[in-house]
Amino acid sequence: MKSRIFLSILFFTCFTIFSQERIPTDYLSKEFHKQRRELFRKKMPANSVAVFFANPVRNRANDVDYVYHQDPNFYYLTGYREPNAVLLIFKENQQGEDGTSYNEVLYVQERNLNAEMWNGKRLGVEGAKNKLGFATAFNAIDFISSNINFKKFDKVFIENFKDDYRNTGNLAEVFDLVKSFKIKSGYDPSNYLSRAKKYVYELVKSTPIENSANVAQVIERIENRYPDIKNDELLTKYKTTTDNKLKGDLKEKITLKLTPTTNIDIDFLTTTLSDMREIKTPEEIKLLTKAIRISAIGQIEVMKAMKPHMSETELQGIHEFVYKKYGAEYEGYPSIVGAGNNGCILHYIENNKTKVGHDLVLMDLGAEYRGYTADVTRTIPASGKFTPEQKAIYDIVYKAQEAGIKASVVGASFGDPNKACRQVINEGLLALGIIKNIDERHNYLPHGVSHYLGLDVHDPGTYGTFRENSVITVEPGIYIPEGSPCDKKWWGIAVRIEDDILITEKGPVNLSAEAPRKSEEIEKMMAKKSVLDAFLLPDLD
């Protein structure tokens, strides 16, 4: 009898746990998002409001849309993962028509049983309150009908509109929400200068007339890349006139254009959130570490499964299967699997080589877990053994990465890992005779070796000095495409090693160290058996 009771309790307990675990429960907490909003509010000036829009749904083809992905800043501040929403954060408390006081409002897409039958359940207003912790929430359509007076604020903060969303005719989509905001706020795109134009205008403002020839040279150098500069009448006249009085008048007019004529600011949000997102909280580090470990284990499984007859696509599939096995929702960016000369293409995503043969295979992939993205690269020999030439290049890159990681310490300049890596790589290339002198300009390492990592694979940050609890990549590489000005024996060799590094007061911590990096360790791992060795499918040809 006791055993029956025990089994009944065990069954009920297991059923309950299974039911509760049907939906992941380890997303960022509502308390995290609330704390982020509170910190952001503290950074806002008096009498200001910040306006954030959710990402729109994007069309893939015909009546098929891409899998939806929320705007990282919107997610960071709300935890809301659906489209067609607006977040308002006020510096001071506002008074509602019903007498209630609030300092933030979330407008969400309305519950709709028919839409939910096709596309999944929506949180709705009650979900925004109960699950996301917003005291004040409304349907998105209420934003359109609201009488918010944005002109009463000294500053209205937005991110610059890209206007890349469709109008499908459904009311209260992002298209309608943005349109409504522009009308309510009096938004005029002509009030804003591009970053390049603002730079040139600031240069004109700060440069004495007698040195204006230097500014003219800058304009000539960049105007073909920036049509708004080339077509700017004031800058054209400033560049060509030889009359100093006229040049002074033009300088005054250009300087006046630097003075805001609107209360809408498109820079504050980007700058402030870049500073905030650079430093990760313990809750963020936990999720980011899991994404990174999943990606590292994916690299390990591919090392064991790799065979010369495999295709780049098949190798990509093994990585991404591991991600899904661990519950990662997406890839953080398009997967890169490049064999041989394909590895020399930095953002090679076709992955369509049908056999990797005996080439080196460069694999740059990252799982996205609960919004946080890893970025891990390993380069391995498809045969399981490096050739002498492959190993020579690989070991230089490994040595360079070691130097770059060592330079990733609190207080160091963001550029220090790059300098350390380039020094080692140049010394190595010189020793192999691939370059002729240590200062030779070459394209064998055409990219920087670090970027921030977080909700975006290239996460925003200050790019100043390293601060504790930021996460960066260190990813040196050497790429020698066919036709390079060196001995042909090096052609087609491409190596990149990339790891995700947590900056701490005690020194850098390699969060992706699980995946072997040394050439000897890679060969040892590749000699192991894979669980996929016996996974055979019918031949379709």
Side-chain angles (χ1 to χ4, degrees):
M1 183 65 180
K2 287 183 179 178
S3 62
R4 288 185 180 179
I5 294 172
F6 173 76
L7 289 172
S8 297
I9 292 171
L10 180 63
F11 175 79
F12 177 76
T13 302
C14 291
F15 179 78
T16 303
I17 292 171
F18 180 78
S19 298
Q20 290 173 344
E21 291 182 349
R22 285 186 183 276
I23 296 175
T25 57
D26 58 343
Y27 289 102
L28 292 168
S29 66
K30 62 183 179 183
E31 290 77 21
F32 168 86
H33 299 293
K34 181 177 176 63
Q35 289 167 359
R36 297 296 92 191
R37 295 195 299 274
E38 289 173 349
L39 177 58
F40 179 83
R41 187 178 293 108
K42 287 178 181 178
K43 297 175 180 290
M44 295 171 65
N47 194 32
S48 63
V49 58
V51 185
F52 301 86
F53 295 90
N55 261 348
V57 174
R58 303 189 188 278
N59 182 251
R60 182 175 181 270
N62 195 15
D63 58 352
V64 177
D65 295 323
Y66 284 105
V67 174
Y68 183 72
H69 196 286
Q70 186 58 276
D71 173 78
N73 281 339
F74 200 93
Y75 179 71
Y76 184 70
L77 294 170
T78 66
Y80 189 69
R81 292 180 286 122
E82 300 174 27
N84 308 323
V86 185
L87 170 67
L88 303 182
I89 299 178
F90 301 92
K91 176 65 175 182
E92 295 88 6
N93 284 353
Q94 306 296 303
Q95 199 74 21
E97 294 179 359
D98 58 357
T100 57
S101 180
Y102 59 90
N103 59 13
E104 58 188 19
V105 185
L106 181 63
Y107 294 89
V108 298
Q109 60 177 358
E110 192 171 359
R111 294 292 306 275
N112 181 304
L113 293 179
N114 185 58
E116 291 179 48
M117 178 178 69
W118 287 95
N119 297 315
K121 188 176 180 181
R122 299 177 175 183
L123 270 184
V125 171
E126 291 307 311
K129 292 179 178 179
N130 298 330
K131 295 185 178 182
L132 301 183
F134 279 86
T136 307
F138 300 101
N139 288 317
I141 197 167
D142 295 324
F143 176 78
I144 296 173
S145 61
S146 69
N147 58 359
I148 301 171
N149 180 13
F150 288 105
K151 295 178 182 178
K152 75 174 185 179
F153 296 99
D154 291 336
K155 287 291 181 181
V156 177
F157 300 119
I158 62 169
E159 292 185 90
N160 201 13
F161 295 115
K162 296 182 175 66
D163 292 332
D164 57 348
Y165 24 74
R166 296 175 301 149
N167 178 12
T168 65
N170 295 321
L171 195 59
E173 291 187 319
V174 171
F175 178 90
D176 306 294
L177 301 174
V178 169
K179 180 180 178 181
S180 174
F181 168 79
K182 288 180 176 180
I183 294 170
K184 293 178 194 294
S185 64
Y187 172 82
D188 181 354
S190 67
N191 288 326
Y192 305 99
L193 302 174
S194 68
R195 188 172 297 180
K197 184 176 280 192
K198 189 174 183 180
Y199 167 76
V200 175
Y201 276 16
E202 291 283 4
L203 198 60
V204 171
K205 177 184 175 181
S206 61
T207 303
I209 295 298
E210 55 269 24
N211 296 329
S212 61
N214 296 332
V215 181
Q217 288 178 354
V218 171
I219 295 171
E220 287 180 351
R221 192 165 61 246
I222 68 174
E223 61 185 357
N224 286 332
R225 284 189 291 152
Y226 301 100
D228 62 330
I229 291 176
K230 188 172 185 177
N231 298 327
D232 187 299
E233 189 176 344
L234 289 175
L235 289 178
T236 300
K237 289 180 178 178
Y238 183 86
K239 181 185 73 170
T240 56
T241 186
T242 56
D243 187 318
N244 281 352
K245 184 178 183 308
L246 177 58
K247 192 159 282 189
D249 292 340
L250 291 167
K251 179 177 179 177
E252 285 185 17
K253 291 178 180 179
I254 290 170
T255 300
L256 281 173
K257 284 187 172 288
L258 288 167
T259 304
T261 58
T262 174
N263 67 340
I264 299 176
D265 183 299
I266 62 171
D267 297 317
F268 179 83
L269 293 192
T270 299
T271 302
T272 304
L273 285 166
S274 293
D275 180 70
M276 288 174 59
R277 284 175 56 184
E278 178 182 327
I279 307 302
K280 306 302 189 281
T281 68
E283 196 172 349
E284 291 180 283
I285 291 172
K286 182 178 179 180
L287 292 177
L288 189 49
T289 299
K290 188 159 186 179
I292 292 166
R293 288 197 63 204
I294 290 170
S295 305
I297 292 169
Q299 294 282 1
I300 290 171
E301 291 305 316
V302 171
M303 287 179 189
K304 291 188 289 187
M306 175 83 76
K307 300 289 187 296
H309 68 265
M310 287 182 167
S311 69
E312 293 172 342
T313 302
E314 186 175 358
L315 297 172
Q316 175 186 346
I318 297 172
H319 280 281
E320 294 175 6
F321 171 73
V322 173
Y323 299 174
K324 299 302 182 185
K325 186 70 174 173
Y326 281 109
E329 296 90 339
Y330 314 107
E331 299 77 56
Y333 52 95
S335 297
I336 297 169
V337 180
N341 202 61
N342 289 341
C344 297
I345 303 169
L346 300 182
H347 288 167
Y348 171 77
I349 60 173
E350 287 79 6
N351 304 342
N352 58 10
K353 191 171 186 176
T354 56
K355 287 185 180 180
V356 295
H358 294 280
D359 286 334
L360 281 181
V361 184
L362 189 157
M363 303 178 295
D364 184 340
L365 307 95
E368 180 180 313
Y369 186 84
R370 309 299 183 255
Y372 285 84
T373 295
D375 191 0
V376 181
T377 305
R378 291 293 183 267
T379 306
I380 66 178
S383 65
K385 291 284 185 180
F386 289 92
T387 67
E389 290 78 15
Q390 291 170 348
K391 181 174 169 55
I393 298 297
Y394 187 94
D395 288 347
I396 293 171
V397 177
Y398 173 78
K399 184 179 178 182
Q401 193 197 32
E402 285 286 279
I405 293 173
K406 187 177 180 181
S408 304
V409 296
V410 172
S413 166
F414 198 91
D416 285 351
N418 187 60
K419 292 177 184 176
C421 288
R422 287 183 182 277
Q423 178 68 26
V424 174
I425 283 174
N426 283 354
E427 290 172 356
L429 291 175
L430 180 63
L432 294 178
I434 294 174
I435 60 175
K436 304 305 181 200
N437 63 75
I438 197 71
D439 299 318
E440 180 180 325
R441 283 180 169 271
H442 62 79
N443 216 30
Y444 298 124
L445 175 53
H447 59 76
V449 306
S450 294
H451 57 78
Y452 291 110
L453 198 63
L455 288 170
D456 282 297
V457 64
H458 294 151
D459 219 39
T462 60
Y463 286 87
T465 56
F466 288 127
R467 298 189 286 171
E468 185 177 22
N469 291 334
S470 62
V471 180
I472 66 164
T473 63
V474 177
E475 50 175 312
I478 294 176
Y479 315 89
I480 311 177
E482 295 172 2
S484 295
C486 62
D487 193 314
K488 288 184 178 181
K489 69 180 181 179
W490 305 112
W491 288 8
I493 294 179
V495 176
R496 179 161 68 248
I497 313 172
E498 178 177 18
D499 283 271
D500 302 339
I501 309 300
L502 173 65
I503 308 295
T504 78
E505 288 290 354
K506 295 181 180 179
V509 177
N510 187 347
L511 299 177
S512 48
E514 237 167 314
R517 291 187 298 133
K518 290 183 179 178
S519 53
E520 298 82 5
E521 291 175 349
I522 288 172
E523 289 179 343
K524 187 176 179 180
M525 182 62 72
M526 294 187 75
K528 293 185 178 183
K529 291 186 176 182
S530 167
V531 294
L532 295 173
D533 286 344
F535 183 60
L536 301 175
L537 295 174
D539 189 349
L540 300 180
D541 293 328

